[in-house]
Amino acid sequence: MEEYLKAVIEQIRCKNVRPYVERELRDHLEDQINDNIASGMDKDEAVRAAVKDMGDPIETGIALDRVHRPSIAWGMIALVFVISIAAALIHFAIASGAKDSAYNQSSKTMIMFGAGFLVMLAIYFVDYTHVARFSKLIALCLIGLCIYARMFGTYINGAQLWIRAFFIDINVEAVMMLYVPVFAGILYKYRNGSATSNKRHSAVFDFIKILFWMIVPVFFVMQMPALVTALMMLISMLTLLTIATSKGWFKFSKPIAIASIWGVFVGLPVIGSVVMFFGNGLADYQKARLVAFFTGSGEANYLTNVLRNVAASCRLYGSNGVDASITIPEYNSAYVLSYISITYGLIAGILIACALAALIAIVFGISLKQKNQLGMLMGCGCGMVLLVTTLINIFQNLGWFPPSRTFLPLMSSGGSYIIVTYILIGIVLSIYKYKSIYPKHVSVDYRLL
């Protein structure tokens, strides 16, 4: 039997899948051997019969190699490439007619799109299960980075968001979005009480630790302050926790757990926001923006009214005659969608939004169809980040959301945001790569806490 298994496994070129295929074949052979023995054969005869029934090992191995081979999501890569080219052309047009900071930002952005695409392809070759295996260590590093930025980061518009690593400026607010797929790996480690014993109180203790891994980074991101990113992280991680709970990963009542999770974490942010507003948790400019948005007055609300008027006045195609560089601030970053609609027409803005919607739909489609549960959850985490950030940015451009630091994935300027977006897409490509390789569950046994 061992020689047969060795001959079969040698035909499979993907080394990652070999242990899983060997274990499956071994289990099948052992079951058949036991059945043969039960039917009256001696052990040696039962083994020979079981191996014979499996067929020629070379042919079996070749057949398994055809099934268990890496896959490439060519359609997704093509869509990302098209969106990237469109974004690069838009920023080339912005840089051609802009001056000073807008020119520098858009010029650098065109380079970052190329660098980001290469980073995405590099992430594709990384086994996504490594992220889960070292998820707690990665999470601690991200939390530490957030704390470091809070203590020693560079102030921009009242928020400590940037740190310098050698000659590179890193936006920690953008980097923290990677915490969401990392959190998916942490959740996977705690499935079925795998982190502790099978006792009910241990399952509750595990769940408390999960909440720790979810709440702590959100708290430190809020302290930067980066409220929109904290909101995005919280919504995304709550969604992942809901999916994991609905899959029966934890040993308690699903309906009660899901209702409790959303009841507590929808109520707590509201209470926390009120406390921060009336306390010292928000910068003065943030308070002014919120007051202006909800009262419809003040200088901060001027931008919201401008965005609403812009959305209403855009032509279907072509410019509406308004100079976006004068009318709208940050027209190449947070409000790039408004710039596109003003300059090229409403149809252009809708096409960009539809392209991003298609990309997000592909991400969720790939994730939800995964046989491997870790890949499913981690892919959904990447999809949630893209979905929530896209919706918030679109709502802000329409004047439906208070002015804040947001970005439109694959379109807004900002090197850190661009690279992080491509990393998220690269993780999904890696998940798709191993869709026919990994079984429902894989081992991610690296214990830290």
Side-chain angles (χ1 to χ4, degrees), residues 180 183 214-215 218 222 227-241 261-262 264-270 384 388:
V180 175
F183 179 71
M214 182 174 69
I215 295 172
V218 172
M222 290 179 66
L227 301 184
V228 173
T229 299
L231 175 65
M232 179 279 300
M233 291 174 61
L234 182 62
I235 292 174
S236 300
M237 289 190 287
L238 282 175
T239 302
L240 295 184
L241 184 54
I261 290 167
W262 286 97
V264 170
F265 288 99
V266 169
L268 283 180
V270 173
M384 283 302 300
V388 176

Side-chain angles (χ1 to χ4, degrees), residues 51-71:
V51 169
K52 183 178 180 181
D53 290 341
M54 292 291 291
D56 182 77
I58 304 300
E59 293 181 0
T60 301
I62 293 174
L64 288 171
D65 178 66
R66 284 196 295 266
V67 173
H68 299 286
R69 63 172 55 183
S71 305

Side-chain angles (χ1 to χ4, degrees), residues 290-357:
L290 289 174
V291 171
F293 182 81
F294 289 109
T295 62
S297 62
E299 182 180 349
N301 198 58
Y302 171 77
L303 177 57
T304 299
N305 290 330
V306 168
L307 292 170
R308 291 171 180 170
N309 292 332
V310 164
S313 64
C314 287
R315 300 174 59 183
L316 283 178
Y317 57 90
S319 173
N320 66 351
V322 176
D323 188 345
S325 63
I326 298 176
T327 307
I328 302 175
E330 302 179 48
Y331 62 94
N332 62 343
S333 54
Y335 303 106
V336 68
L337 189 60
S338 294
Y339 168 85
I340 294 171
S341 299
I342 290 174
T343 308
Y344 303 106
L346 193 59
I347 291 178
I350 293 174
L351 287 175
I352 293 296
C354 288
L356 291 175

Side-chain angles (χ1 to χ4, degrees), residues 1-220:
M1 185 175 73
E2 296 301 328
E3 292 181 359
Y4 179 87
L5 290 174
K6 182 179 178 181
V8 172
I9 297 303
E10 285 178 348
Q11 311 309 312
I12 302 176
R13 286 169 290 182
C14 181
K15 295 181 180 180
N16 297 64
V17 77
R18 286 181 176 180
Y20 302 103
V21 172
E22 181 179 1
R23 183 167 57 195
E24 184 177 351
L25 289 175
R26 185 181 299 275
D27 291 342
H28 181 75
L29 281 170
E30 289 177 351
D31 290 341
Q32 187 61 48
I33 290 171
N34 292 331
D35 290 341
N36 292 342
I37 293 175
S39 65
M41 297 182 184
D42 60 41
K43 185 174 181 180
D44 291 339
E45 184 181 3
V47 171
R48 287 194 298 270
V51 169
K52 183 178 180 181
D53 290 341
M54 292 291 291
D56 182 77
I58 304 300
E59 293 181 0
T60 301
I62 293 174
L64 288 171
D65 178 66
R66 284 196 295 266
V67 173
H68 299 286
R69 63 172 55 183
S71 305
I72 302 178
W74 288 112
M76 183 176 177
I77 293 175
L79 180 57
V80 172
F81 180 77
V82 170
I83 296 175
S84 301
I85 293 296
L89 292 175
I90 289 169
H91 282 279
F92 176 78
I94 293 174
S96 299
K99 298 179 181 179
D100 303 328
S101 61
Y103 170 79
N104 294 330
Q105 288 179 0
S106 289
S107 298
K108 294 178 181 178
T109 296
M110 289 185 287
I111 298 174
M112 295 307 298
F113 281 129
F117 199 86
L118 294 177
V119 168
M120 178 192 74
L121 296 179
I123 296 296
Y124 162 78
F125 290 102
V126 176
D127 188 342
Y128 69 92
T129 61
H130 294 329
V131 177
R133 189 165 290 113
F134 300 101
S135 55
K136 293 181 180 178
L137 181 60
I138 298 172
L140 287 177
C141 291
L142 289 174
I143 293 172
L145 187 68
C146 193
I147 295 173
Y148 181 86
R150 184 68 181 89
M151 296 175 62
F152 307 108
T154 302
Y155 273 95
I156 297 179
N157 294 327
Q160 286 181 295
L161 303 174
W162 296 81
I163 61 174
R164 177 174 286 271
F166 301 103
F167 58 90
I168 301 175
D169 291 322
I170 300 174
N171 187 326
V172 178
E173 181 181 13
V175 174
M176 287 304 294
M177 293 189 298
L178 294 175
Y179 192 93
V180 175
V182 172
F183 179 71
I186 294 175
L187 279 177
Y188 189 78
K189 280 180 172 288
Y190 285 112
R191 74 191 188 284
N192 298 325
S194 58
T196 56
S197 67
N198 292 324
K199 296 180 180 179
R200 184 175 180 82
H201 75 274
S202 296
V204 173
F205 184 60
D206 280 347
F207 195 72
I208 293 173
K209 290 193 285 186
I210 289 172
L211 296 181
F212 164 83
W213 289 107
M214 182 174 69
I215 295 172
V216 170
V218 172
F219 171 79
F220 283 113

Side-chain angles (χ1 to χ4, degrees), residues 252-275:
F252 35 73
S253 172
K254 298 177 187 178
I256 294 176
I258 293 174
S260 300
I261 290 167
W262 286 97
V264 170
F265 288 99
V266 169
L268 283 180
V270 173
I271 296 173
S273 299
V274 172
V275 172

